[in-house]
Amino acid sequence: MASGGRLFPFALVTLFLFLISPSPSLSSDDDKVNLSVYYESLCPGSADFIADYLVKTFETDLINIINLRMVPWGNARIDNRTGAFICQHGEDECYLNTIQACAIDVWSDQKRHFNFIRCVERNISKGGLQSGKVSAVYQEKSSNVAALKVWESCAEEQKLEEADIYKCYTSGRGRELELRYKTETDQLIPPHEYTPWVAVNNQPLYDDFLNFIHHVCKAYKGGPAKPLACNSARRGANSAVRGADEAR
Ligand SMILES: *[C@@H]1O[C@H](CO)[C@@H](O)[C@H](O)[C@H]1NC(C)=O
Ligand SMILES: *[C@@H]1O[C@H](CO)[C@@H](O)[C@H](O)[C@H]1NC(C)=O
Ligand SMILES: *[C@@H]1O[C@H](CO)[C@@H](O)[C@H](O)[C@H]1NC(C)=O
């Protein structure tokens, strides 16, 4: 009894320290803020946002409180006669949207697939891949050589295994994933008006999306400590992003 009595205060102190530990990395998934990004791969505004702004979530401790949901469909639609995807910036866009849907599926860890997507979008943002023919029709057997090179070199840079992506794309799995993203995008309330369309816990940020860190921090209800990134998140970033693409 005596030895148990002496251990008790120690256990209590340990428990207490654990309870007050202010690490945001301990925030449970329920507390995380859903940050959803509805975009299309060849849209200049989407590419800039992902490459230059969204990346900040991974460069700070902000990612600890975010459940990031990338939704690569944007303003695409389906030809209801042939079932083909029709994308605003041509078939390379449909192709890379699908490759990115596969990447999210195959590399489910958010940092892994985000780094891959960011690499592709940075290339596009820097003009590495020009937008193709407007409304060109999606080709199942892709001849998208330039787009293929971009994503392959990104997979290599990130040391990611490409085989599962080819398999996802050619098996029809990629198309299935894209159809789900289409449904989700079509069901947005209110409907998206352009891309990128950014929502925090389903609330669209409209043209204030460059201030997404401010909105994420405001929405965060987990405790006790907010991420350090929230201290420096002031409103007022200029939301004028070039080339946002209007929904049709
Ligand atoms: C395609 O679907 C849309 C919406 O369901 C419909 O309004 C349109 O008439 C359809 N077009 C053709 C060619 O079937
Ligand atoms: C884009 O990727 C291609 C293929 O790897 C590469 O040749 C090109 O230099 C890249 N462009 C930019 C601007 O990063
Ligand atoms: C975030 O999304 C998940 C589903 O992915 C949902 O279960 C959860 O309730 C959402 N959280 C908030 C705060 O909307």
Side-chain angles (χ1 to χ4, degrees), residues 25-45:
S25 62
L26 287 181
S27 69
S28 76
D29 279 357
D30 292 347
D31 290 335
K32 287 192 175 176
V33 177
N34 289 333
L35 178 64
S36 306
V37 181
Y38 300 86
Y39 71 104
E40 49 192 20
S41 56
L42 292 194
C43 159

Side-chain angles (χ1 to χ4, degrees), residues 49-218:
F49 176 67
I50 292 165
D52 299 334
Y53 293 88
L54 197 53
V55 66
K56 287 176 193 162
T57 59
F58 290 91
E59 291 169 345
T60 65
D61 56 349
L62 197 69
I63 194 59
N64 295 335
I65 63 159
I66 287 180
N67 174 29
L68 179 63
R69 302 192 54 260
M70 303 296 287
V71 185
W73 176 262
N75 301 325
R77 56 197 171 88
I78 290 186
D79 183 323
N80 40 5
R81 204 169 33 83
T82 64
F85 292 170
I86 303 174
C87 293
Q88 203 163 8
H89 303 92
E91 66 181 59
D92 278 349
E93 178 160 86
C94 291
Y95 175 65
L96 285 177
N97 285 350
T98 308
I99 292 293
Q100 294 186 14
C102 286
I104 295 163
D105 192 49
V106 169
W107 303 314
S108 57
D109 175 72
Q110 60 181 2
K111 188 165 186 179
R112 288 183 103 194
H113 66 246
F114 179 80
N115 282 340
F116 170 79
I117 291 172
R118 196 238 173 174
C119 174
V120 172
E121 295 304 311
R122 190 178 44 194
N123 186 297
I124 291 159
S125 156
K126 291 186 171 161
L129 195 64
Q130 296 301 322
S131 152
K133 298 155 284 182
V134 170
S135 294
V137 170
Y138 175 81
Q139 306 280 314
E140 201 69 53
K141 281 219 167 49
S142 166
S143 57
N144 316 63
V145 181
L148 180 78
K149 277 194 184 145
V150 171
W151 81 257
E152 279 184 342
S153 65
C154 283
E156 277 154 31
E157 181 194 299
Q158 309 285 325
K159 302 197 170 27
L160 294 165
E161 177 56 55
E162 291 154 28
D164 287 342
I165 302 294
Y166 295 119
K167 194 171 153 208
C168 168
Y169 184 80
T170 55
S171 68
R173 168 86 179 146
R175 182 182 164 87
E176 202 179 286
L177 294 166
E178 278 292 275
L179 289 173
R180 281 189 220 163
Y181 286 142
K182 171 192 174 356
T183 303
E184 179 179 338
T185 305
D186 286 351
Q187 287 175 351
L188 282 173
I189 302 170
H192 79 288
E193 294 167 22
Y194 43 81
T195 60
W197 189 253
V198 182
V200 168
N201 287 345
N202 297 330
Q203 295 298 309
L205 302 187
Y206 298 96
D207 63 0
D208 201 34
F209 63 86
L210 290 189
N211 284 316
F212 73 96
I213 295 178
H214 166 84
H215 294 280
V216 165
C217 292
K218 209 170 66 175

